[in-house]
Amino acid sequence: MTGRSEPPDGAPENPAGGEDEYRSLVFDESFVQAARMQEFSARERMGEHARAVRALPDAQVSVRSGGGSRAAITLVVLIALAFAVAVYIGFRSPYPQPAARRAEPLRTTVVPLAPRGAVPGGSPERLYRAEPVSGFRVGAAGITYPAVERTQNFSDSQITAALATAKDYLVESSLNPDVLSGSVRRPVEHLLDPDQRPQFEQSLSRPADDGTHAATGWLVRFDPERVELADPRIRVQGTLRYEEEAPGALGVVSDHTFTYALRPADGPHRDDDASLFTVRRELHFRFDREDLRLHRLEVRTAHVQAGPQSCSADATGMFRPLLAGERADARGPAATDPYATGRPAAALCGTLQAVSSPTAPTTSPGSPHQGPAADRTSRPRP
């Protein structure tokens, strides 16, 4: 086809007599085929324009990295300090704490009781039927609690805990067969305040009649090579009482009489070779709140009377009972020199009233066997 022709849809809508703006530009087929399409890259399209992000020199990069590390370390340190301050404030009480109180040394008085004649003997059953021992209970059943009523600063449960600890101490130090024979001491020691344990250890290893280091002030102990229990059912009678001694201190006083049936440790045994040995122990215990929590106690004072023994017997390390048929020697207590220097030695001795036989009248008041209430009126005579 030659020549110009109109488009199939007709001529473009131009005003009459007007010329098309692009009519003078005519691209033939050879021109179109010769055209080359090229897509430029992003860098080529940007040309010489400046970069949106500017790279920093290596030195500046390293400096800024080090600054960031130091800032992070500083932040961590500040957080740690803040945490430590918070913990300190949380554990620190706003109220002043009372100064820790150390337990005082135990003060002891041990008094031997000498019989007036020969020590009576018999079978344990017959001896225990005598008055007033026949009314005693057996073992720990003889250590009873008083009625408990709270005090101003101690609750019922705290008072009960103190009484229970005091009873445990009496049971271990007066009724435990292994303690009585001197083979163990730990059951008694672990109930003591740690401040008193060195004194306890010294009293048992190096007993002395100085008022603070008598082993028999802490516990009941016999020479196992000389005597043994003829009946393990030890008779006990006594009382416990308590009182609040200070806002943070609770006192418990025990007053008990322990009666043991003993016999010689060697030789053949007969049914009637037993004799009674009586120990009256008046102990003053003290408890603070830490003691109540840890099931321990402080023994403040111990007043002990024990017989039958000779007045000259050294009963600071262990008791030395006189057995059936034996008599006290004629020597009195150890002499005391008031002109001597150093710590004075105690020189006390008392007289032991005989226990009545099952068929004889009851003994008069003044016998240690009659229990704490009656015996209170009869102190050993020096």
Side-chain angles (χ1 to χ4, degrees):
M1 175 181 289
T2 61
R4 297 183 59 181
S5 62
E6 296 294 334
D9 294 334
E13 295 180 359
N14 289 325
E19 292 290 333
D20 187 1
E21 181 179 3
Y22 300 101
R23 186 172 299 273
S24 60
L25 297 176
V26 179
F27 301 95
D28 57 10
E29 185 177 358
S30 61
F31 176 81
V32 173
Q33 291 179 353
R36 181 171 61 89
M37 299 298 294
Q38 181 180 2
E39 182 178 359
F40 294 96
S41 65
R43 183 181 299 274
E44 292 173 334
R45 289 196 299 271
M46 290 178 61
E48 296 300 327
H49 295 288
R51 297 181 180 179
V53 179
R54 180 168 57 90
L56 293 175
D58 294 340
Q60 295 184 10
V61 171
S62 62
V63 170
R64 294 195 178 188
S65 298
S69 300
R70 286 194 295 271
I73 293 174
T74 303
L75 179 61
V76 171
V77 171
L78 290 176
I79 293 175
L81 289 175
F83 180 76
V85 171
V87 171
Y88 173 76
I89 294 175
F91 280 100
R92 182 176 180 271
S93 173
Y95 305 101
Q97 297 296 323
R101 184 187 64 85
R102 293 186 59 85
E104 300 178 4
L106 169 65
R107 300 186 302 275
T108 61
T109 302
V110 180
V111 180
L113 302 178
R116 292 181 174 178
V119 177
S123 66
E125 294 78 9
R126 179 179 177 275
L127 294 173
Y128 279 145
R129 286 199 302 267
E131 293 291 342
V133 185
S134 61
F136 287 14
R137 295 184 177 182
V138 177
I143 306 173
T144 58
Y145 295 161
V148 175
E149 183 178 353
R150 66 165 299 138
T151 63
Q152 182 177 358
N153 295 285
F154 291 92
S155 65
D156 297 356
S157 61
Q158 290 175 319
I159 295 173
T160 302
L163 294 172
T165 305
K167 180 175 181 177
D168 289 346
Y169 184 88
L170 292 172
V171 169
E172 297 295 347
S173 63
S174 308
L175 302 177
N176 188 329
D178 294 330
V179 173
L180 298 179
S181 64
S183 59
V184 299
R185 64 180 68 178
R186 182 61 181 169
V188 179
E189 184 178 10
H190 88 279
L191 292 170
L192 294 174
D193 188 288
D195 293 338
Q196 289 192 319
R197 292 177 185 176
Q199 182 190 7
F200 174 82
E201 290 289 341
Q202 182 177 347
S203 299
L204 268 63
S205 59
R206 299 187 302 277
D209 187 14
D210 57 4
T212 56
H213 293 98
T216 48
W218 298 95
L219 46 79
V220 177
R221 188 166 66 165
F222 303 108
D223 184 356
E225 297 182 358
R226 173 173 169 77
V227 299
E228 66 181 15
L229 287 175
D231 188 343
R233 297 171 297 176
I234 302 165
R235 301 308 195 261
V236 184
Q237 179 172 289
T239 60
L240 282 172
R241 61 182 176 87
Y242 67 90
E243 64 178 348
E244 183 176 325
E245 300 178 346
L250 183 67
V252 174
V253 177
S254 68
D255 190 353
H256 290 81
T257 300
F258 302 86
T259 303
Y260 307 85
L262 303 177
R263 64 185 178 188
D266 55 352
H269 299 303
R270 304 188 310 270
D271 294 338
D272 60 348
D273 63 351
S275 60
L276 296 183
F277 187 84
T278 301
V279 180
R280 179 176 174 183
R281 308 181 71 197
E282 297 176 73
L283 305 177
H284 178 197
F285 305 106
R286 188 171 187 178
F287 300 83
D288 56 25
R289 300 188 186 278
E290 190 74 1
D291 294 331
L292 296 175
R293 186 178 67 86
L294 298 177
H295 192 67
R296 69 189 189 192
L297 50 76
E298 172 189 348
V299 190
R300 301 291 303 280
T301 60
H303 185 88
V304 181
Q305 304 173 70
Q309 299 182 98
S310 295
C311 289
S312 59
D314 181 9
T316 56
M318 62 182 63
F319 295 122
R320 305 180 185 279
L322 296 173
L323 300 177
E326 296 181 341
R327 296 175 178 268
D329 56 37
R331 292 178 296 170
T336 300
D337 182 4
Y339 300 100
T341 59
R343 186 186 298 272
L348 299 176
C349 187
T351 300
L352 177 66
Q353 295 285 352
V355 177
S356 63
S357 65
T359 58
T362 304
T363 56
S364 60
S367 168
H369 292 287
Q370 289 193 336
D375 191 45
R376 189 180 299 277
T377 62
S378 177
R379 288 292 184 190
R381 295 187 296 275

